[in-house]
Amino acid sequence: MEMDVEINKSNIYQIIRDKENIDMQLLKNSIVVFETPWSEVSQQILNYLKSFKNEYNFELVKVDLDKYRDLILEYEINELPTLIFINNKMKSTSMGGILSKEKLRRKLDENFTKK
């Protein structure tokens, strides 16, 4: 499954400028996932989120920290994956590390409407 917003070298710094200036218009109702392809936890969380795409209205934005290492310090990434929930043009919540499918569902219920 493709990500809804593709992050690449030409657009990442337009979309994710700095900690206080994420492009909320483009990323409205999104989950930004800072991850690495080699992290099993990251891949598990991404799979959970993909499974919820049929139920909830959100876009999934994947940022590979192996490609964009400078974002680790800028966004103070201490755990893989780190998720930023953006709803109604506002950054609502950040969370990271190992998350259960049930905890993710609760966060989705708090932040996004069901389809």
Side-chain angles (χ1 to χ4, degrees):
M1 176 180 207
E2 291 291 317
M3 295 298 124
D4 296 331
V5 176
E6 184 169 334
I7 298 292
N8 58 50
K9 286 185 185 269
S10 65
N11 72 6
I12 189 166
Y13 294 105
Q14 295 168 356
I15 295 170
I16 301 173
R17 295 185 184 125
D18 58 54
K19 188 175 182 180
E20 301 304 321
N21 191 16
I22 294 175
D23 188 336
M24 300 298 181
Q25 185 63 38
L26 179 59
L27 298 180
K28 182 175 87 173
N29 296 324
S30 297
I31 302 172
V32 180
V33 181
F34 293 93
E35 57 84 44
T36 60
W38 50 263
S39 166
E40 290 180 26
V41 174
S42 292
Q43 299 314 306
Q44 181 181 36
I45 298 300
L46 282 169
N47 286 334
Y48 289 161
L49 290 171
K50 289 175 189 177
S51 74
F52 289 130
K53 288 282 295 162
N54 293 329
E55 294 178 55
Y56 295 89
N57 290 311
F58 69 90
E59 291 189 58
L60 190 57
V61 180
K62 184 173 83 166
V63 180
D64 182 344
L65 291 174
D66 283 343
K67 293 180 182 176
Y68 305 104
R69 292 192 166 282
D70 55 324
L71 296 177
I72 295 170
L73 290 175
E74 191 169 326
Y75 280 85
E76 300 173 2
I77 307 295
N78 297 316
E79 299 177 284
L80 290 175
T82 293
L83 286 65
I84 297 176
F85 294 82
I86 300 170
N87 59 22
N88 300 321
K89 300 182 188 176
M90 296 181 66
K91 180 178 155 186
S92 67
T93 287
S94 294
M95 57 192 312
I98 299 172
L99 303 167
S100 69
K101 196 169 187 177
E102 294 75 27
K103 186 169 186 173
L104 276 175
R105 182 181 294 280
R106 285 194 299 274
K107 289 309 264 181
L108 291 171
D109 284 337
E110 291 171 15
N111 286 283
F112 305 109
T113 58
K114 288 198 171 193
K115 289 185 177 179

